[in-house]
Structures are given as structure tokens and as C-alpha cells.
Amino acid sequence: MIYKMPSLGADMESGILAEWKVKEGDRLKKGDVIADIETSKGIIEAEIYEDGTVEKIVGKEGTEYPVGTPLAVVRTEKDDDETIRKELAEVEAAAGGEAPKEEGAAETVFPSSEKEEQTASAPKSAAEEIFGAIAETKDEAVQEVGRIRATPLARKRARELGIDLKELAKRVRGKISARDVEEVARQLFKPGAAKPDAMRMAIAAAMSRSNAEIPHYYLSTPIDMTSALSWLRDLNAKRSIKDRILPAALMIRAVVEALKEVPELNGFWKEGPVPSEAIHPGIAIARREGGLITPAMIDAHKMNLDETMQALSDLITRTRGGKLTSSQMTEQTVTITNLGDLGVEKVFGVIYPPQVALIGFGRIMERPWAVGDAIAVRKVVEASIAGDHRATDGRTGALFLAKLDKILQNPEELL
């Protein structure tokens, strides 16, 4: 099997091979991480989807390759010697073609030693003063003469923002990270002065495509969450802090159960509706440096409530730590977004192609609510759906919201 530069999103055209996690001769099992791939959305852990042995590696770390470029040969059980011989010839031929752009090779980023010596005695610039401030928070800096240790993402961001890595390397302990570069950029540039973020551009491309290709319909309904939140409060009162369940996990679990009953909304549009048997909801999570990522909660249909909470915590940690896997980046079958923490009452989202639906939740608010013949104050959330009108119609969306409401009135069944 030829391992190629994976596509980690519909908008991805190329990626940087940040680091191999294996070496030739290593045995791999399905799901093992074979490499770290840098994309506009950060560093992604690329997994292998078959058991096998690494036969040959030709991709170079720190190099940018178009999607589909052969990077390695992995011998699987179905590969015979003749197949491997042909695949080796193919990847070696690809490696001998036109050299791809190697990250960190730009001369403007790395001044010559002579230039460095000249600038070393010059008065401190404003940037140097800021670098000095960073050093105070990182104890004594380690300087490596003639070599800069920086992640590929840090090199890319430094070029985009015009940050001199050579200067930064004098003040940062160990390998320079993208966070180090971003920290300097935030201090150097006034708000709004920075160059467009690569991730913002990727989101812009995907959302433009969505609005151009997908005829959306929107529905929303208020759901009484009083009983569900009361039940959750009683459940959490019996648990340690680390084992407690957040309302967000309860809602995700309820959405997954509702999708089992209305499967038309879980899947894709590929010249026709293609429902997915597995449910991998993409959960919208804000990055610390800005922008949203919707990593997939893989096999959410097989989880109970505790497992859903654990998976949600893991996704948040991985997203904000830049350690998502390739399957988490590519296998979303539907998207769930919740902007309630920002005070939003209703969410009418844009579907991420080729998915066919997006489910939104707003803020849980206290509202007057009819209970029998009386008016009571209840805790209510506005649930919404954006549907692809090519794949489903409003009746399907309405049926889903009704199922969701019914499930949330019986939260004990979600355990």
C-alpha cells in the first residue's frame, strides 16, 4: 500500500510532513499514528487504516506536498512481493520528480551568520525588547549557533507574520513553537494589522462553497430542559468533580440518539444522498488563537453518556493542544454547534459540505412556560437545524427536532 499525503478536509490542497512517527521496519496496526501533518488548521496526527509494516519512507520531514503525493510504502497482508516492487518503484519515481517546497528554506527568514553578527551589536529594536520579555517567562534561553529548532508550523507562521526566527531562537528554550511566534506577533502588531490567518481563509473557502452549492432550510424549536438539568444536577451531586457530566455532553448524546431515528440527516450529498451508518458528529470547538474546528467524535453511536463526556473532553484537549488525528478531522457525518456560552439565543449555521445537516443550540434561558393550566418559569434551550434541501425537506428536520425534544424529556435513558 502506498501511503500518500492525506486529504484532511475538503478545502485542503497540500500539507507539510511535520514528523514521521515511524521508521522503516516498524509494524503498524490500524489506527496507529504514522505521521504528524501540518495543515492550515494545525498539526494533525495522521493514522494508518490497515495493519502493515513500513517498507520504505521517501517523504521528507518539513516538506510541503500536494494531497495524494506518495510518501511511503506500507506492506499489508494483501500485498505480495510483486506489488511491493511496483509500489517502491512508483514512490521512488515520485520522490525523484520536481522537488517540493521545503519548509524553512526561505532565505529572508534566516539571515546569514555574517548578517547576524552585524545585527548582534546593534541597539535593541522594539521586537528584541519584546523577545526579552518572553524570555523572562521562560527562564534562561538556549541559543543554538547556526541552527534554528522550530516546528514546521512555527516556521510557516513566522513567514506569514514577518517574525525573525533567528532572533526568537535566542530567547526561547528548546524548539520554537507556533505559540511562541503567535505570542510575539500579538505584541508586535496592533489589532487588525496582522496578515489574514490561513485558517480563516480555509473557513472562508468552505463556507463560500456551502452557500453556493447547498440550498439550506432552517427550523428551530424551544425545548424545556428543566427536568434534564435537574436530573443531571442530582446525578453530578453523587459524583467526584472529574466524573461529572456537562449539559453539552447530554445534548450531544441526545442528538446522536435522535439521529438514529432520523438517519437521513446523518451523512453526505455526493451526486445524491448517502446516509452514514456510523454517527461521527463534528463538535464545533473554538481555538485559543481564534477560529473554529469541528473534530469528529468517532463512533458516538456506540457511546453511553459517560463515554460521550470523556470523548468531548478529549476533543477539546486535542483541539486546543493541536493534537487531533486524521480520522477526527475527516470523518464528520454531521455538525453540532453550541454558542450558548456567548449569550446567543438561536443558531442558524452553515452546513459543512458534503454533510447534509448542522444542529445548533443556543443559551439555556429561563422563560415563562405553560405547564398544564398554569404558567411556570422553566429552563429552555432553542434547538435548531440547518438542512440540505437536496437531501431532505422540512418535514424530516421537524421530525428530528420532535425526537430530540422527546429524548431530552427522559434524560435517564441516555446513561
Side-chain angles (χ1 to χ4, degrees):
M1 177 188 72
I2 298 178
Y3 178 76
K4 300 178 179 179
M5 173 58 73
S7 174
L8 302 172
D11 50 351
M12 178 175 165
E13 297 180 352
S14 65
I16 297 170
L17 176 57
E19 182 179 359
W20 282 112
K21 293 297 185 181
V22 299
K23 61 183 182 300
E24 292 177 2
D26 281 358
R27 289 280 302 164
L28 298 174
K29 294 182 179 179
K30 179 183 177 182
D32 285 349
V33 175
I34 186 171
D36 281 349
I37 304 295
E38 181 185 322
T39 74
S40 60
K41 297 174 182 175
I43 300 289
I44 308 299
E45 293 181 341
E47 303 155 281
I48 197 83
Y49 293 99
E50 291 185 62
D51 295 355
T53 302
V54 181
E55 190 82 14
K56 181 72 175 180
I57 289 176
V58 296
K60 296 180 180 178
E61 294 181 347
T63 302
E64 184 173 2
Y65 294 97
V67 169
T69 302
L71 301 177
V73 172
V74 177
R75 182 188 289 269
T76 65
E77 290 184 357
K78 63 186 179 185
D79 295 327
D80 55 25
D81 289 343
E82 179 60 18
T83 300
I84 292 297
R85 186 186 65 75
K86 291 180 179 177
E87 291 180 345
L88 285 171
E90 182 176 342
V91 297
E92 287 172 350
E98 184 178 352
K101 182 179 179 182
E102 188 163 351
E103 285 297 305
E107 295 179 359
T108 54
V109 177
F110 307 106
S112 66
S113 299
E114 182 180 353
K115 183 178 178 181
E116 184 185 11
E117 291 173 0
Q118 292 172 353
T119 56
S121 59
K124 284 187 176 181
S125 64
E128 288 172 319
E129 294 294 340
I130 292 173
F131 294 147
I134 291 175
E136 292 177 4
T137 65
K138 295 178 177 293
D139 302 321
E140 288 295 319
V142 176
Q143 180 178 358
E144 290 192 33
V145 177
R147 178 169 177 264
I148 295 175
R149 297 179 63 210
T151 66
L153 184 58
R155 295 180 188 280
K156 180 181 179 184
R157 292 298 290 148
R159 280 200 309 277
E160 293 172 345
L161 296 168
I163 301 297
D164 188 341
L165 278 181
K166 200 74 150 184
E167 192 64 42
L168 186 55
K170 297 176 183 176
R171 305 291 192 272
V172 174
R173 180 191 295 275
K175 184 179 287 187
I176 298 171
S177 68
R179 186 169 298 172
D180 294 323
V181 177
E182 299 281 359
E183 186 175 345
V184 170
R186 278 194 294 272
Q187 297 177 60
L188 279 176
F189 303 132
K190 295 179 180 178
K195 296 179 180 178
D197 179 81
M199 183 180 179
R200 188 73 257 158
M201 299 304 290
I203 292 172
M207 295 302 96
S208 296
R209 177 187 165 194
S210 176
N211 266 337
E213 297 180 359
I214 302 176
H216 289 62
Y217 68 84
Y218 298 99
L219 301 171
S220 75
T221 190
I223 294 178
D224 184 355
M225 292 288 292
T226 308
S227 298
L229 294 177
S230 176
W231 174 82
L232 192 59
R233 184 179 62 249
D234 292 344
L235 180 70
N236 284 334
K238 303 172 186 173
R239 296 179 168 213
S240 63
I241 292 177
K242 70 179 181 63
D243 292 328
R244 290 179 181 173
I245 308 294
L246 294 175
L250 189 71
M251 293 177 180
I252 293 169
R253 180 91 178 87
V255 167
V256 171
E257 287 301 306
L259 287 172
K260 289 180 182 177
E261 300 189 43
V262 190
E264 298 92 334
L265 297 171
N266 179 60
F268 313 99
W269 179 267
K270 296 178 179 177
E271 299 181 348
V274 184
S276 169
E277 291 186 7
I279 301 176
H280 309 313
I283 311 298
I285 298 173
R287 298 192 314 167
R288 287 195 177 92
E289 56 271 44
L292 283 173
I293 289 184
T294 56
M297 186 178 286
I298 302 295
D299 289 335
H301 56 293
K302 299 179 180 177
M303 298 177 185
N304 58 29
L305 185 54
D306 285 303
E307 291 166 341
T308 301
M309 183 65 226
Q310 292 167 11
L312 177 61
S313 298
D314 178 65
L315 281 186
I316 294 172
T317 300
R318 283 179 165 274
T319 297
R320 296 180 175 167
K323 281 294 182 181
L324 292 168
T325 66
S326 53
S327 58
Q328 288 171 330
M329 287 299 296
T330 59
E331 298 192 14
Q332 300 91 334
T333 58
V334 66
T335 298
I336 303 174
T337 184
N338 184 341
L339 295 177
D341 60 330
L342 298 177
V344 172
E345 293 186 16
K346 299 179 182 179
V347 179
F348 296 105
V350 180
I351 301 169
Y352 192 87
Q355 297 169 36
V356 296
L358 178 147
I359 293 110
F361 290 100
R363 179 164 57 103
I364 298 175
M365 300 184 296
E366 291 188 342
R367 285 187 182 179
W369 192 268
V371 181
D373 295 332
I375 298 295
V377 175
R378 309 288 285 183
K379 295 183 182 302
V380 177
V381 68
E382 195 77 26
S384 65
I385 180 167
D388 184 337
H389 224 321
R390 298 171 299 179
T392 63
D393 53 29
R395 187 180 184 283
T396 305
L399 181 61
F400 167 82
L401 290 175
K403 295 288 184 184
L404 182 63
D405 187 354
K406 182 180 178 182
I407 290 168
L408 284 170
Q409 302 316 311
N410 301 281
E412 64 280 359
E413 296 179 4
L414 295 173
L415 267 176

